[in-house]
Amino acid sequence: MTGGPRAALPDSPAQVLADLLEVQRRRFAALDPRLPQPAAPPPGDVLVVGTPPHRVAGVVTHHVWPAGSGPLLWSAAQVSELHPVIGGAGHAPLHALVDAWRGHVLPAVLRDEDSAAVVTWPSRDVVATRVLLDHGLVPLAVLAVRAPGPVRVPAPDPALVLRRAEPSDLDACVRLALEELAYSSQVGGSLVRSDAEAVKRTTIRDRLGRGEPTWLAERDGAVVGMIECGHADAAPGAWLANLLPAGRWGYVNCASVTAAERGSGVGAQLAATAITALEAGGGTPVRGTYLYYNPPNPLSSVFWPRAGYAPLWTLWEVRPAGGLR
């Protein structure tokens, strides 16, 4: 006898996930009204830990980035990611879930130095913060958002020229991007790999070729700062819809200021120009703008909040994955 999809059996992993997700939606709404409604986790290995009312669950995914891919400049090659579905759970059930995740990570990943264990979780959930810290994860990056509105504009510098980058600026853009990568690798998750220059050159060439907005700052004819930007849609089914409310968003991909000009106002001038242009949206309204920055970075962790960006999601990570306690 055939028919439609069968309903999940009571206490089956699928039903446990569904029940906990409903409670988690209420948890997120109470934590931070800027969060989108939590979506079901991606396909992966389902973990169910504990018994009601202390039952929690999660989905574990494993990803390998191929050699030469752009994400390898900010990610380990092998990534084990936990997608918690915890309802309204407190400390003890969360500890048990992370313990179960640690036991589920592939042995080959735990032995690999180029590996990471990752969790992305709402920044305001301090219950989870305590648990993740206890298990050796660190807040390596945050996704921060800014609502549309006036941008704090520093006093203009008459010697500074701001303009859109053109394909002929490729070499200058690559130089600044590599300088930023070298700095970020000391204070965040970035990695200076042997093919970094080739990867950056290809990525930036493609961005400039597509006409995606990249702003440059020049002083005395020399490029001293750059900010790469774009627009993205948090549409149903898109990865961004899991992180941001539905709609069109502007994003700041990367900002770079040469070392000699840091603290001189170049970054602030670039940010004000770029954010204003992103919020204009080319005539299409935007919900806001977003970016990623590293909390351990002593520059960006001050600069971007001052520009109006507030953490929404924190990316918790431990490298290598074997460091997960």
Side-chain angles (χ1 to χ4, degrees):
M1 185 174 179
T2 61
R6 295 180 180 177
L9 296 174
D11 290 333
S12 68
Q15 188 60 55
V16 171
L17 284 173
D19 292 345
L20 288 170
L21 188 61
E22 284 303 312
V23 182
Q24 186 157 292
R25 285 173 177 150
R26 295 194 292 272
R27 179 187 189 129
F28 280 18
L31 277 171
D32 193 335
R34 303 170 304 160
L35 291 167
Q37 187 177 75
D45 298 331
V46 179
L47 304 177
V48 177
V49 180
T51 57
H54 305 296
R55 177 177 285 166
V56 293
V59 173
V60 178
T61 58
H62 177 243
H63 188 81
V64 178
W65 292 110
S69 58
L72 283 176
L73 297 184
W74 64 82
S75 171
Q78 292 201 74
V79 179
S80 177
E81 185 166 4
L82 175 66
H83 307 267
V85 186
I86 61 173
H91 292 96
L94 280 171
H95 277 297
L97 179 61
V98 178
D99 285 337
W101 175 31
R102 176 65 170 77
H104 194 81
V105 178
L106 298 173
V109 177
L110 294 175
R111 292 193 301 267
D112 188 354
E113 287 298 309
D114 197 357
S115 66
V118 177
V119 180
T120 300
W121 199 247
S123 300
R124 293 185 181 179
D125 194 349
V126 296
V127 172
T129 294
R130 181 68 269 162
V131 173
L132 297 173
L133 286 170
D134 288 346
H135 285 274
L137 292 113
V138 296
L140 206 55
V142 298
L143 186 159
V145 296
R146 183 186 190 279
V151 185
R152 189 178 69 89
V153 181
D157 181 346
L160 199 66
V161 176
L162 303 183
R163 64 175 178 84
R164 285 280 295 268
E166 301 176 353
S168 59
D169 295 307
L170 178 61
D171 287 343
C173 292
V174 171
R175 173 180 57 79
L176 278 169
L178 290 173
E179 187 173 346
E180 189 277 332
L181 177 67
Y183 179 83
S184 294
S185 70
Q186 302 176 84
V187 293
S190 297
L191 297 162
V192 182
R193 298 187 185 268
S194 60
D195 59 353
E197 181 173 0
V199 171
K200 282 290 188 182
R201 182 170 295 276
T202 299
T203 302
I204 295 172
R205 180 191 294 116
D206 291 347
R207 286 179 57 83
L208 294 176
R210 291 191 299 266
E212 295 181 20
T214 296
W215 292 88
L216 299 180
E218 285 184 334
R219 189 184 300 281
D220 298 327
V223 176
V224 296
M226 171 181 70
I227 189 164
E228 302 171 65
C229 310
H231 287 96
D233 292 315
W239 70 271
L240 194 59
N242 295 325
L243 300 172
L244 297 174
R248 191 167 193 244
W249 290 80
Y251 69 90
V252 176
N253 183 59
C254 185
S256 315
V257 176
T258 194
E261 289 283 352
R262 289 175 193 154
S264 68
V266 170
Q269 294 281 359
L270 278 169
T273 299
I275 293 168
T276 300
L278 287 173
E279 291 182 355
T284 303
V286 297
R287 293 289 301 265
T289 57
Y290 74 94
L291 51 78
Y292 289 89
Y293 72 81
N294 302 126
N297 186 325
L299 301 180
S300 64
S301 61
V302 175
F303 181 86
W304 292 116
R306 187 178 292 164
Y309 287 89
L312 184 64
W313 296 91
T314 299
L315 284 69
W316 294 86
E317 187 167 349
V318 58
R319 299 182 192 176
L324 185 63
R325 298 197 295 263

